[in-house]
Amino acid sequence: MTKNIWEKIDSEQELNHEELCSLLAMENAEQLELLYQKADKIRKKYVGDEVHLRGLIEFSNYCRNNCLYCGIRRDNKKIKRYRMQIDEILDTAILAANLGYKTVVLQSGEDMYYTTDKLVELIRFIKKNADVAITLSIGERSYEDYARFFEAGADRYLIRFETSNPELYAKLHPDSSFENRMKILNWLKQIGYQTGSGVMIGLPGQSIEDLARDILKFKELDLDMIGVGPYICHPDTPLAGNPNGTAEMTLKVIALTRIVTKNTHIPATTALATLRPADGREKALKAGANVIMPNVSPIKYREYYELYPNKICIRETERQCNDCIKRRIYSIGRTISKGYGHSLKKKTDNAIAF
Ligand code: 5AD
Ligand code: FES
């Protein structure tokens, strides 16, 4: 690694594609440690020591899509499907608020059982009954739907672009296109959402050059939140038999994402913790991450929300996960935020109102 790149990072100059590629190709343990330290320093400067907790409610594993990597894809007939009813989702959101979480993330497959009206009602209910910000992660819908969810009080929207390589995107997603995903991300920003996206690391056919472009794309999109997790191979998908992404490459992308995007919210993802249950989240928090999304879904459903196998926290109660995560955060000298953890880039109408 040339001295020059480290100096560029230290003086916060922009890194180009070639420089990102050479950093991503780095394997020397000492140099990697240095990269993580530099990301950690930028994290501290721009987003501080507080870790934001977002309670994740996986409310339905029905999905109309057939993404090649995903365990809840439409054609996976082996999985037991479930849907939570509106009052059950509301109760779970209240439980999340009682655990101290100031955000709930409502996530599901693309399940049109939940009509626009039903979701609008749910968002209103939650806003009325719990003091939380709401993040939606329910896939592709129409502009009008997104606008109505925002009007109802949703603050944030997560929709990963998964890879910035349009050909690879097309191979992995028979039901959607990269172009459409970009259009949706622009809509969400236009409507006023705090907008999150992200990618998987180690997808079959993905190169280091692709990952470097992913990081530049995060910057270009001016995202508020960026989720980066390893691809984990699911045996009941067409990609069965492919290798998983690695924890190391995931950490490099997290570190570089922090270095390049500065004041974004970056979670230590559950997928990374699944690859490295002992210390994956701690490592991510020390390499640029500042958010954790503890699972608060009712235990009886957890094993069925199987995007990838061996997911952690299938049998732990909400309370156990809460204790576990707090202990991990304190163990590395960080603190837990008491606020909503809104975007550090802008304050949207919903963010101000709630
Ligand atoms: N391995 C890792 N992450 C996955 N996701 C879906 N399937 C997998 C998998 N097999 C991620 C996608 C999606 C998010 C909700 O979960 O990036 O956007
Ligand atoms: Fe669930 Fe650690 S977060 S057991």
Side-chain angles (χ1 to χ4, degrees):
M1 187 64 41
T2 63
K3 207 171 145 219
N4 192 16
I5 297 191
W6 296 123
E7 282 170 4
K8 273 185 103 169
I9 293 177
D10 288 339
S11 56
E12 298 190 12
Q13 291 175 55
E14 285 191 14
L15 299 171
N16 61 33
H17 184 256
E18 198 187 336
E19 289 161 339
L20 287 171
C21 287
S22 66
L23 288 158
L24 288 168
M26 230 167 45
E27 281 179 353
N28 174 290
E30 275 167 36
Q31 291 194 328
L32 287 178
E33 204 43 54
L34 192 60
L35 178 71
Y36 302 152
Q37 278 172 19
K38 290 189 186 299
D40 199 45
K41 202 170 152 198
I42 294 186
R43 184 272 307 155
K44 195 176 173 73
K45 173 173 169 188
Y46 285 90
V47 302
D49 280 341
E50 289 191 336
V51 176
H52 301 284
L53 301 182
R54 327 285 204 197
L56 176 64
I57 307 175
E58 301 156 333
F59 67 89
S60 162
N61 70 349
Y62 279 83
C63 192
R64 63 177 172 182
N65 292 343
N66 236 345
C67 306
L68 266 65
Y69 47 79
C70 186
I72 66 168
R73 63 200 303 274
R74 174 178 82 226
D75 282 355
N76 184 5
K77 305 289 184 228
K78 288 198 183 168
I79 193 173
K80 188 177 153 191
R81 304 281 171 173
Y82 72 90
R83 285 186 177 117
M84 288 171 66
Q85 294 306 309
I86 298 294
D87 54 348
E88 198 180 11
I89 306 174
L90 175 62
D91 288 346
T92 308
I94 292 171
L95 184 139
N98 288 337
L99 284 170
Y101 302 141
K102 303 295 278 179
T103 296
V104 292
V105 181
L106 303 177
Q107 189 176 85
S108 68
E110 290 198 7
D111 184 0
M112 296 304 128
Y113 166 85
Y114 300 90
T115 58
T116 315
D117 286 346
K118 274 203 182 113
L119 289 169
V120 162
E121 182 192 48
L122 173 65
I123 293 162
R124 290 218 180 98
F125 272 177
I126 294 178
K127 280 285 174 168
K128 216 168 124 191
N129 292 288
D131 180 22
V132 288
I134 297 179
T135 304
L136 298 178
S137 177
I138 58 172
E140 299 193 353
R141 296 249 173 176
S142 68
Y143 182 94
E144 290 67 32
D145 283 8
Y146 292 136
R148 285 196 56 204
F149 302 149
F150 186 77
E151 261 169 53
D155 302 88
R156 313 187 188 127
Y157 206 99
L158 297 177
I159 185 160
R160 290 183 175 180
F161 60 77
E162 318 291 1
T163 172
S164 61
N165 176 334
E167 289 83 43
L168 180 57
Y169 188 98
K171 278 190 203 154
L172 297 172
H173 304 99
D175 317 276
S176 92
S177 71
F178 182 74
E179 205 190 344
N180 198 47
R181 200 47 61 120
M182 289 299 131
K183 186 174 80 188
I184 288 173
L185 282 164
N186 284 317
W187 284 350
L188 294 168
K189 290 196 288 179
Q190 209 183 315
I191 291 167
Y193 283 101
Q194 301 169 50
T195 304
S197 194
V199 297
M200 279 176 284
I201 308 302
L203 288 164
Q206 188 184 42
S207 65
I208 277 192
E209 287 73 21
D210 291 335
L211 293 174
R213 258 177 243 112
D214 292 350
I215 297 167
L216 292 172
K217 189 55 97 180
F218 294 151
K219 167 105 178 150
E220 180 193 319
L221 289 170
D222 192 25
L223 296 166
D224 301 294
M225 309 164 295
I226 302 164
V228 172
Y231 160 67
I232 301 176
C233 183
H234 195 299
D236 303 322
T237 64
L239 297 181
N242 278 285
N244 294 338
T246 66
E248 187 170 275
M249 187 58 84
T250 305
L251 289 168
K252 285 191 254 187
V253 175
I254 288 175
L256 288 169
T257 298
R258 172 62 68 201
I259 289 167
V260 167
T261 67
K262 310 265 190 291
N263 62 351
T264 46
H265 287 308
I266 301 179
T269 53
T270 306
L272 178 59
T274 295
L275 276 194
R276 297 279 299 255
D279 62 356
R281 279 166 293 199
E282 289 86 335
K283 278 190 166 352
L285 289 175
K286 292 201 274 185
N290 71 322
V291 170
I292 293 189
M293 296 164 66
N295 199 324
V296 289
S297 313
I299 291 202
K300 61 180 172 190
Y301 302 126
R302 288 214 200 157
E303 64 181 297
Y304 305 118
Y305 201 80
E306 195 188 52
L307 308 178
Y308 46 82
N310 303 317
K311 220 171 111 186
I312 56 163
C313 307
I314 296 301
R315 276 172 249 296
E316 284 77 8
T317 62
E318 303 76 33
R319 174 69 58 190
Q320 281 171 322
C321 289
N322 183 264
D323 290 344
C324 165
I325 280 170
K326 283 185 177 158
R327 184 168 38 77
R328 289 171 190 274
I329 293 171
Y330 294 137
S331 80
I332 56 166
R334 300 276 280 279
T335 57
I336 295 170
S337 166
K338 294 194 173 63
Y340 298 104
H342 283 308
S343 167
L344 297 154
K345 299 193 169 194
K346 59 172 182 279
K347 287 279 171 275
T348 65
D349 288 347
N350 281 349
I352 291 163
F354 299 92

